[in-house]
Amino acid sequence: MAGFDEAWAAVDHPKEGEPVSPELQPLLRRVYFEVLAAPADLPALKESLTALLEYLSGQGRTNANCWAVDMFFCLSEGWERDWTEQPLPDDFHDVLGLMGQALHDTVRTPKIADNFDCLPEQLLDRVRRLTSQQPRQ
């Protein structure tokens, strides 16, 4: 059955000999479960995205980590439900989409990631500006 462990296994592969950091797994796990939560808890999702992007902006800024996160959202392999179909505000979908676009270029070709607004710090800035108030039912 699909789930986080399968989604993690799909991206937990070395990139050019560099392993994915073990610290990345719990950060992605938290985002995964917040994205799929029903009903959505937008403050919790914003917090989990902030923690992930702070890590990628600092000590976790490695080629393997950025590739893993990019592929996690780009391919969505192993997810139990497609994150793109979750009832989240467009601004949250936009950030998740950008995380699966050019984040993988962060370390080796940062000008490309910068051009697409996909550097971790650019994404973090977007997340910090998200309105995480719950929509009225």
Side-chain angles (χ1 to χ4, degrees):
M1 181 177 177
F4 176 77
D5 291 336
E6 189 175 320
W8 172 253
V11 300
D12 184 21
H13 303 289
K15 183 67 179 165
E16 298 172 5
E18 176 184 55
V20 175
S21 302
E23 296 85 7
L24 184 62
Q25 183 183 22
L27 295 167
L28 271 179
R29 178 185 300 274
R30 187 168 168 217
V31 171
Y32 175 88
F33 284 109
E34 293 300 341
V35 166
L36 297 182
D41 182 344
L42 297 181
L45 176 55
K46 181 176 178 177
E47 187 178 301
S48 68
L49 287 167
T50 298
L52 173 62
L53 292 166
E54 284 175 344
Y55 177 72
L56 293 176
S57 294
Q59 72 182 38
R61 189 189 200 97
T62 69
N63 194 42
N65 287 348
C66 290
W67 269 91
V69 172
D70 189 310
M71 294 299 107
F72 192 77
F73 292 100
C74 177
L75 301 178
S76 301
E77 187 176 329
W79 284 61
E80 59 191 89
R81 292 189 311 277
D82 188 347
W83 69 261
T84 63
E85 296 176 7
Q86 298 309 301
L88 299 170
D90 289 344
D91 290 347
F92 280 83
H93 275 282
D94 292 346
V95 168
L96 295 170
L98 286 170
M99 289 173 70
Q101 186 173 340
L103 182 62
H104 68 274
D105 289 312
T106 295
V107 174
R108 298 278 192 250
T109 52
K111 288 184 180 186
I112 293 173
D114 179 49
N115 187 52
F116 287 97
D117 293 325
C118 292
L119 289 170
E121 53 274 5
Q122 290 171 314
L123 292 167
L124 180 58
D125 183 56
R126 279 182 84 120
V127 168
R128 288 180 172 151
R129 291 189 316 242
L130 289 174
T131 301
S132 59
Q133 294 177 342
Q134 295 296 123
R136 293 184 182 201
Q137 300 295 328

